[in-house]
Amino acid sequence: MTRSRMLMVAAMAAVVGAGYWYYSTRNATSGGTAKVPPPVPVTVAQANLGDVPVLLDVVGRAEAYESVTLKSRLDGQVAAVPYTEGQHVRQGEVLVQLDAGDFDARLLQAEANLARNEALMAKARADVTRYLALQGRGFVSEEKVNELRTAEAAAAATLKADQAAVELARRQISYTTIRAPFAGVVGARLVFPGSAVKINDTALAVVNRIRPLYVTFSVPEKHLPRLRKAISSGEMRADVTIPGDREQRFEATVRFIDNTVDTATGTILMKALLENREEKLTPGQFLNVSMSLDTLAKAVVVPAEAVQQGPEGNFLFVVRPDNTVEPRKIEVQASYRGLAAIGKGVAAGETVVTDGQLRLTPGALVQARPAQQKTE
């Protein structure tokens, strides 16, 4: 019994020793052959020197160069609307014709009153002449002559009033014809034959001049010093595009900076003049406006996709000579056509990562391949 127990204890000790040796050997083997993480494949590009314009991009609206809502200068009724909706009109072209019957009658009445008072004026003048002759011969008194002179002056005043009434009646007749004040495009019909109109109340037609037109936009007040400097140095140009269509570009000239900053938004109103010869733009249309405020000469530029956003701001990964990466905090001064101008953090000639940043950590080993050249 004792011998069997001793044999069992010896067997158990042998099993435990074998297990200990196995695990010790395995741990020693695994520690000596630890796997090194493979290099991370990334796309890289070189930081270079270049001139980068500092652009200000804002959203604006097209605005008619001239716009007017035509209203009647007298009460009346519409007789005819000879224009077609949306047509181009010349300056002076008839747009709305009001019924002029009442005003023709008023003109005849005013002309009749004028003719009557012209006759009375002629009689008063003749009476004064005749009584002056009689006074010289002692047949009438000075008082009677003065009375006739007063009558002549009153007749002259009445005659002027009648002349003014005739002129007013003629002007009112001219007001029954509403004409285009300038060449442009007329909008939708607002009145129809038979419509009653009130003086300075009823809108009859809207005419917009769209060649040229203005592009109106607002810019933050912090850009005012650069804007004024750019305008004072010469003609300031603006690049205008339609949202969603970058192929069509229009060139405009900045013509106006408002004299007051909007205290509610901290922006200032500006306008640029655009020729719009082909009438591709319409008043009220949203537009993208880009202006060059300055040019950064010999700035360090990298592809814009190299710039990453982090908790502490912009950064990028720089590839060191041993093919490991180092994160660098940078300052982006401007962006232009896929390039970013770096103020500090990267020097010209250094290699930066443009793709594959999500798998990178500080000191990670990378397998770099150059970025493909972009063709415009």
Side-chain angles (χ1 to χ4, degrees), residues 49-124:
L49 294 177
D51 296 341
V52 178
V54 179
L55 299 180
L56 175 62
D57 296 322
V58 294
V59 176
R61 277 188 181 272
E63 179 184 313
Y65 186 79
E66 293 178 292
S67 181
V68 63
T69 299
L70 299 174
K71 295 182 179 181
S72 175
R73 300 181 67 174
L74 39 79
D75 296 330
Q77 189 174 41
V78 176
V81 185
Y83 72 85
T84 302
E85 293 177 309
Q87 80 174 64
H88 288 73
V89 294
R90 300 181 302 275
Q91 183 177 8
E93 187 170 342
V94 177
L95 300 180
V96 179
Q97 183 67 55
L98 302 182
D99 184 6
D102 293 346
F103 303 101
D104 289 336
R106 293 177 188 177
L107 176 60
L108 292 175
Q109 184 180 24
E111 289 176 341
N113 290 334
L114 177 62
R116 180 193 63 190
N117 288 316
E118 282 178 343
L120 293 176
M121 176 64 187
K123 179 180 180 303

Side-chain angles (χ1 to χ4, degrees), residues 79-282:
V81 185
Y83 72 85
T84 302
E85 293 177 309
Q87 80 174 64
H88 288 73
V89 294
R90 300 181 302 275
Q91 183 177 8
E93 187 170 342
V94 177
L95 300 180
V96 179
Q97 183 67 55
L98 302 182
D99 184 6
D102 293 346
F103 303 101
D104 289 336
R106 293 177 188 177
L107 176 60
L108 292 175
Q109 184 180 24
E111 289 176 341
N113 290 334
L114 177 62
R116 180 193 63 190
N117 288 316
E118 282 178 343
L120 293 176
M121 176 64 187
K123 179 180 180 303
R125 186 176 292 116
D127 287 344
V128 170
T129 302
R130 184 171 66 255
Y131 272 77
L132 282 174
L134 292 175
Q135 182 189 23
R137 296 165 61 184
F139 291 116
V140 293
S141 63
E142 180 70 23
E143 182 180 356
K144 182 63 176 177
V145 172
N146 291 338
E147 181 181 340
L148 293 174
R149 282 178 172 168
T150 302
E152 180 188 14
T158 303
L159 186 63
K160 287 185 177 181
D162 290 337
Q163 291 171 343
V166 170
E167 180 62 25
L168 177 61
R170 287 175 178 164
R171 286 182 176 271
Q172 287 179 329
I173 290 176
S174 69
Y175 296 159
T176 60
T177 303
I178 290 86
R179 302 177 183 272
F182 48 79
V185 178
V186 66
R189 284 195 177 194
L190 304 178
V191 293
F192 300 88
S195 301
V197 299
K198 291 185 177 181
I199 182 171
N200 201 33
D201 180 52
T202 307
L204 304 178
V206 178
V207 181
N208 288 333
R209 182 180 174 186
I210 62 175
R211 289 187 298 176
L213 56 71
Y214 281 118
V215 179
T216 304
F217 52 93
S218 296
V219 299
E221 60 181 313
K222 66 180 181 180
H223 296 297
L224 264 177
R226 276 184 166 177
L227 286 169
R228 296 192 185 281
K229 180 180 178 181
I231 292 177
S232 63
S233 62
E235 191 175 77
M236 186 175 183
R237 312 297 292 181
D239 190 32
V240 180
T241 58
I242 301 173
D245 185 3
R246 306 292 294 184
E247 294 183 0
Q248 293 194 76
R249 293 181 177 273
F250 308 90
E251 198 173 77
T253 305
V254 177
R255 289 290 180 86
F256 170 75
I257 298 181
D258 205 356
N259 58 0
T260 304
V261 174
D262 188 339
T263 56
T265 61
T267 60
I268 190 166
L269 181 68
M270 296 184 65
K271 291 185 180 182
L273 186 66
L274 191 149
E275 291 299 329
N276 198 31
R277 291 189 179 92
E278 298 179 2
E279 299 185 7
K280 292 184 177 181
L281 302 179
T282 303

